[in-house]
Structure formats: C-alpha cells, structure tokens
Amino acid sequence: MTEETPGFDEKPDVPSGATPDDAEPKAAPQEGTAPAGDGHADPGLVAQLAQLDQVRTALGERTADLQRLQAEYQNYRRRVERDRITVKEIAVANLLTELLPVLDDIGRAREHGELVGGFKSVAESLETVAAKMGLQQFGKEGEPFDPTIHEALMHSYAPDVTETTCVAILQPGYRIGERTIRPARVAVAEPQPGAQTVKEESAEAADDKESGGPDEG
C-alpha cells in the first residue's frame, strides 16, 4: 500500500460564500499599459467641435452682415430725411416767390394809404401766413450797400455819406432763413469825389487853428 504524502492534495482555504475564482490571484496590470481609450480621441466629439467652429464662424459672418445692413439703413434714413427737408424748403420757397408780387402790391397800397377795410384784414392775414412759413423782409434806408443782398438800380453821389449807402428802397428783399429768394432793389449813393480830401484838409486846418497855428521858425 502506497503511502500518501500528507498535505499534497489539500486545497487552499476558501472563505465561505466565495467562488473559486476569488481565490486565484489576479494578474497585475503591466507597466506602461494605458486604459482603453486614453490614447484615442472620440470621433464623435471631434466632429461636434468642428461643427461648433463652423457655427461660430457663420454666426460671426451673419453678425457682421447685420451690422453692415443696420449702418446702411441708418444712412438711408438720414439721406431720406435730408431730401425730405430739402424738397419742403424748395416747395415753400417756390410758393412764396410766387406771392412776392402780391406782397409788393400790399406794400404800395400801404404807402399810399389805400390799405383799409376788408382789404387790410386780408392783406395782414396773408403777411402773417407768409411770416409763419419763414419769409423775412429786409432792406432799410441808410444801411451800407451789400452786393450779396442788395441790387442797385439807381446810383448817385452824396456829400453826407462816407461809404456806398442805400438811400432808397425801391423793392424790399426777402429771405427764408439764410437763403435769399430776392435781393432788395435799392438806390445807392457814394461819397462825392474829392469830398473826403476836403474834409480832411478842413479838419487839419481846424486843428492848426486851435493849436495857435504852425510853429514859426
């Protein structure tokens, strides 16, 4: 009879309730081996990032387009507003220009004392409406002649003026704001030739007389 070696067939102790696999030691992971997936990017994530970049680029382009359209619209509105104001001013100027002969007749009637009764009321109402529309009358006797707003129809010399002066207003001028729609038609007078020299000599003689005459040698 063969003798059995004690302990040769004995199995290691296994805790109660554990499987035989639990008793087997697990192989340690080899050094340098990375977990699955660490060395490779997710293709789905890469595609999403590329799509996000495309969306951002498209958004920037559309934003720039919107800003450009908004600037063009603002310029268009300003241009339309300027054109509207210009057209209105031209229309008002044309209307008032047609009324100037009527206003001249009213002025002559007033000078001759014929502006009475109902005609006076109508004439004053017309002048009031024209003034509300911006019409201004200008031109007064005694003011210096200005060729930009005056039109000289008569010319003369006068000893009592020191510069070219409006001595009579033949027709008043009219303007709307800074725009002259008709210059004032006037008669002008210039200083008498040589009058200024005579005045200077007279003034010098008077000064000499007051100072006792010229110094005697």
Side-chain angles (χ1 to χ4, degrees), residues 1-30:
M1 184 173 182
T2 306
E3 295 181 1
E4 295 180 356
T5 304
F8 181 77
D9 292 334
E10 293 181 358
K11 296 182 179 179
D13 295 336
V14 177
S16 176
T19 61
D21 294 339
D22 293 337
E24 297 179 359
K26 295 182 179 180
Q30 298 179 1

Side-chain angles (χ1 to χ4, degrees), residues 27 55 59-60 63 82 92 97 105 121 143 146 157 159 176 192:
V55 171
L59 178 61
T63 302
R82 284 197 307 268
V92 171
T97 300
D105 292 338
S121 177
E143 63 184 6
D146 185 350
Y157 295 98
I176 300 176
Q192 190 73 31

Side-chain angles (χ1 to χ4, degrees), residues 130-182:
K132 286 182 179 180
M133 297 178 70
L135 186 66
Q136 300 175 359
Q137 186 183 100
F138 66 89
K140 295 181 180 180
E141 294 183 6
E143 63 184 6
F145 175 75
D146 185 350
T148 61
I149 60 174
H150 297 137
E151 181 181 353
L153 301 183
M154 299 177 63
H155 177 270
S156 62
Y157 295 98
D160 56 344
V161 296
T162 58
E163 60 181 339
T164 305
T165 305
C166 300
V167 294
I169 305 300
L170 306 179
Q171 270 188 339
Y174 289 96
R175 66 165 63 97
I176 300 176
E178 300 297 327
R179 179 182 179 185
T180 300
I181 62 176
R182 189 182 77 180

Side-chain angles (χ1 to χ4, degrees), residues 7 31-32 64 79 83 102 110 117 129 137 156 161 169-170 202 213:
E31 295 182 359
R79 184 167 61 254
D83 293 344
V102 179
R110 183 179 285 111
V129 171
Q137 186 183 100
S156 62
V161 296
I169 305 300
L170 306 179
S202 299

Side-chain angles (χ1 to χ4, degrees), residues 102-103 106 110 115-130:
V102 179
L103 297 176
I106 293 174
R110 183 179 285 111
L115 198 64
V116 294
F119 178 55
K120 178 180 180 181
S121 177
V122 172
E124 290 176 349
S125 297
L126 179 60
E127 291 175 335
T128 300
V129 171

Side-chain angles (χ1 to χ4, degrees), residues 192-211:
Q192 190 73 31
Q196 187 67 24
T197 304
V198 172
K199 288 183 180 180
E200 292 177 356
E201 292 178 353
S202 299
E204 291 177 358
D207 292 340
D208 291 340
K209 185 176 181 181
E210 291 177 0
S211 61

Side-chain angles (χ1 to χ4, degrees), residues 34-100:
D38 287 350
H40 302 281
D42 186 359
L45 179 60
V46 173
Q48 290 180 357
L49 291 176
Q51 186 177 6
L52 179 59
D53 290 339
Q54 293 178 356
V55 171
R56 287 175 176 173
T57 302
L59 178 61
E61 293 175 352
R62 299 301 175 268
T63 302
D65 292 340
L66 180 60
Q67 292 174 345
R68 182 169 58 254
L69 289 175
Q70 186 175 9
E72 291 177 356
Y73 176 67
Q74 293 297 334
N75 293 334
Y76 169 76
R77 288 187 57 186
R78 286 192 289 267
R79 184 167 61 254
V80 169
E81 183 66 16
R82 284 197 307 268
D83 293 344
R84 186 185 67 81
I85 294 174
T86 301
V87 170
K88 179 181 178 181
E89 291 177 349
I90 292 174
V92 171
N94 291 337
L95 173 62
L96 294 177
T97 300
E98 296 296 327
L99 291 177
L100 294 186

